[in-house]
Amino acid sequence: MKPFKHLFAPAKIGRLELKNRIVMLPMTTGYTEADETVGNRITDFFEARAKGGAALIIVPFSPVRAGSPVEPGMYDDRFVASARTFTDRIHDGGAKVGAQFIVSYHVILDKGTPEVVGPSPVMNQIMCCVPRELTVDEIRYITGEFGRAARRAREAGFDLVEILVGGGYLLNRFLSPITNKRADAYGGSLINRMRFTLEVIESIRKQIGSDSPISIRINLEDQMTGGHTIEDSKEVVETLEKAGVQVLNAYTGWHESPVPTVQAFLPKGAFAHLAQKAKSWVRIPVIAANRINDPFVAEKILADRKADFVGMGRALLADPELPLKAMEGRVNEIVPCIACSNCLSEIISTYKRWGQPSTTFCTVNPMAGKESEYKLVPAQKPKKVLVVGGGPAGMEAAMTAARRGHRVTLFEKGKEPGGWLQVGCLPPHKEEIGNLSKSLAIRTQNAGVEMRLNHEATPKTVEEAGPDVLILALGAKPLIPKIPGIRGGNVVMAEDILTGRKTVSGSAIIIGGGLVGCETAEFLIETGRGITRVTVVEMLDRLADTLSPTTRPFFLARLKKEGVEMKTRTTVEEITDQGVKVNQNGTSGFIKGSVVVLAVGLKPDEKLIETFKNKAPEVYPIGDCVKPRMIKEAIEEGFLTGRKI
């Protein structure tokens, strides 16, 4: 029996036949050309996902002039030719392709400049301004633009068109009673608040006829106080079905919502119940979305009949070949999306600096958006490569070099590869980091790398091995600051707490409010026995500053709710057996505590690197041994090193 029989069963949306149930959800990438056309970069990106096995790929387009190439345009006939080339390549890659029409916050109308507009002058929290209320004539103009964009999309070879009524964007704000305070035909009752969307559907249908399916990506819950709940959406989706919509693409939450929707601490498939509810109300197919990033979760959603299709966005950003690997039984080779949300944060920030270019990136996939630029080519002359260190930088470098044909051996002094990933996966809700470590190890071995564990490399062993290329991925060691009392018996390292090498009780003071310090605080609160209080002390003015802006507020709110005391702009001057002496904004103080936990960062060992100098014709230090950074930098540096040798 095939393990994913539901996931890879064919299906239909209207007359559109799809080879499986995997839909790549629309993602704003910023890979558009400066003239708003679809060029090689965005085409290469989506073509890779088509070849990777997704059945339907939905791509966002602007149906109305907005003044920024965040999404490619479809508001003028000049876009048709390049879009036709785009759809041809997606079709040749094996997927069907849909054009989603998105109007976010800005449009260009009579004045010829981008304006933030809305149904009513109600504060837009994302844009931090009050939008100008659209007139009826302007609504009708935008409605017509949707229809004309659909006609162009059909001419360009798109198989489906989709209307976005979610995310807190323009049509969603008309639908929601939070932001729609109008007293005309477009406000008040639910049917009036739906009128804009219904007229858009009618406009599109007049332009493309009845053959091409229309999809709605619809907020089933706004996740906003006073907004639509799932029960409020019953009449909405039933009305949309009557209006001729042929598939519902389930969505949830506004970008400014206080409720998390994509973060790692949410269970996988956390919002599939919304799709299930909508499916019970309509006869047309429903696409489930949000936190579906592995084939097992996707299969269960389909098997439980919660949805007809599963939508994946960030999962396919991380690994375009996820469908193909699942179908071929190579699940352990899938590059997992770690739900860091850095991809989303980069694009959301674009709305606040409208008109300035910005592109998304993936922490775990350095090739995302650079498919041609970073394309791997066989090595002209295979070399003997020795990699010292099995962290993310070392494994990525070894794997990349091996894929190009080099003979690669990796020395790792520990019993398992992974480096700091082995510690990073231990705090609450960080399981995906462990999955990343396992995936890296499996992919590295499958690439042909000889991995020698429990094998600490020395300058002598390297010299004896005689490599042509030596890649030093030695990592870094915890930084121990010069604070009086730092060697006291009540002082422990954060990684010793996380790994279980040390257990503590009583009140804990964590020195260092970076990501490790804050995650250790949560770890102690949730798993520590006998922990009575946790205080995080940070000398800077922000805690967990390296976290994605779309994740950080939820994380800090969780710490606050759990009772963690957080002190910023506070310097530790001395550690005693009773606690720590501090200086907060120039004022001396004392924080009582029974244990002090150090989480002040990492420090590279420059002397260690020096001992390996000249031990091979080519020597490349990479990763934390050069400068401690984040997972993205480690993986990308390893990739680029393996690519260039």
Side-chain angles (χ1 to χ4, degrees), residues 31 94 121 132 152 210 224 286 338 359 457 480 506 511-512 544 583 600:
Y31 300 154
R132 180 178 67 77
R152 296 181 188 106
S210 59
M224 297 282 289
V286 177
I338 60 174
T359 60
I480 301 177
I511 302 178
N583 186 301
V600 293

Side-chain angles (χ1 to χ4, degrees), residues 152-172:
R152 296 181 188 106
R154 186 186 61 181
E155 292 174 1
F158 285 91
D159 304 292
L160 168 148
V161 295
E162 180 172 274
I163 306 161
L164 177 57
V165 191
Y169 290 149
L170 183 64
L171 291 179
N172 195 178

Side-chain angles (χ1 to χ4, degrees), residues 249-537:
N249 193 347
Y251 200 8
T252 185
W254 292 18
H255 288 311
E256 60 263 50
S257 168
V259 178
T261 57
V262 297
Q263 286 68 26
F265 56 85
L266 289 167
K268 292 184 180 182
F271 297 99
H273 67 282
L274 300 180
Q276 182 180 27
K277 199 77 170 178
K279 183 173 167 58
S280 71
W281 294 329
V282 296
R283 289 170 294 178
I284 57 177
V286 177
I287 305 170
N290 290 69
R291 287 290 287 140
I292 304 171
N293 66 354
D294 75 54
F296 296 104
V297 172
E299 174 71 12
K300 183 165 177 37
I301 289 170
L302 295 171
D304 292 346
R305 298 185 178 181
K306 292 182 177 180
D308 303 283
F309 296 90
V310 288
M312 296 183 180
R314 292 165 186 82
L316 297 178
L317 177 68
D319 193 339
E321 295 185 341
L322 183 155
L324 190 61
K325 289 176 180 178
M327 186 169 58
E328 295 177 351
R330 297 185 290 129
V331 176
N332 57 6
E333 292 186 32
I334 292 173
V335 183
C337 168
I338 60 174
C340 64
S341 289
N342 287 322
C343 53
L344 177 61
S345 295
E346 187 65 21
I347 290 301
I348 292 297
S349 67
T350 302
Y351 293 122
K352 298 182 180 181
R353 55 176 193 268
W354 194 249
Q356 299 180 28
S358 181
T359 60
T360 195
F361 62 84
C362 180
T363 293
V364 299
N365 179 10
M367 291 187 70
K370 299 179 180 179
E371 280 75 13
S372 289
E373 180 184 349
Y374 282 2
K375 188 175 182 179
L376 294 182
V377 296
Q380 292 184 351
K381 181 182 178 182
K383 298 177 181 179
K384 184 178 182 181
V385 179
L386 178 60
V387 180
V388 181
M395 285 194 284
E396 187 73 34
M399 173 175 54
T400 304
R403 285 177 174 173
R404 295 183 55 234
H406 294 299
R407 304 183 306 277
V408 186
T409 303
L410 184 149
F411 287 179
E412 166 54 46
K413 64 182 179 181
K415 63 180 181 179
E416 293 182 8
W420 282 105
L421 296 180
Q422 293 292 335
V423 179
C425 67
L426 298 174
H429 318 298
K430 298 303 289 288
E431 296 83 3
E432 293 289 9
I433 301 297
N435 293 336
L436 173 62
S437 182
K438 293 173 185 175
S439 168
L440 273 168
I442 290 168
R443 287 182 285 125
T444 299
Q445 290 175 315
N446 288 352
V449 175
E450 181 186 353
M451 191 177 293
R452 299 185 184 178
L453 304 178
N454 294 308
H455 197 117
E456 184 169 5
T458 65
K460 183 180 179 180
T461 58
V462 170
E463 205 166 17
E464 291 173 349
D468 301 309
V469 179
L470 174 61
I471 299 176
L472 299 174
L474 301 167
K477 296 181 178 180
L479 176 64
I480 301 177
K482 295 180 179 180
I483 301 173
I486 198 74
R487 300 294 180 181
N490 61 333
V491 179
V492 298
M493 306 301 297
E495 61 268 25
D496 288 334
I497 299 289
L498 294 170
T499 58
R501 290 192 292 263
K502 297 282 182 69
T503 57
V504 296
S505 59
S507 55
I509 303 166
I510 298 176
I511 302 178
L515 184 57
V516 173
C518 290
E519 288 183 339
T520 303
E522 187 172 35
F523 179 88
L524 285 172
I525 289 291
E526 292 197 9
T527 65
R529 295 179 180 178
I531 292 294
T532 57
R533 188 181 76 249
V534 176
T535 304
V536 178
V537 179

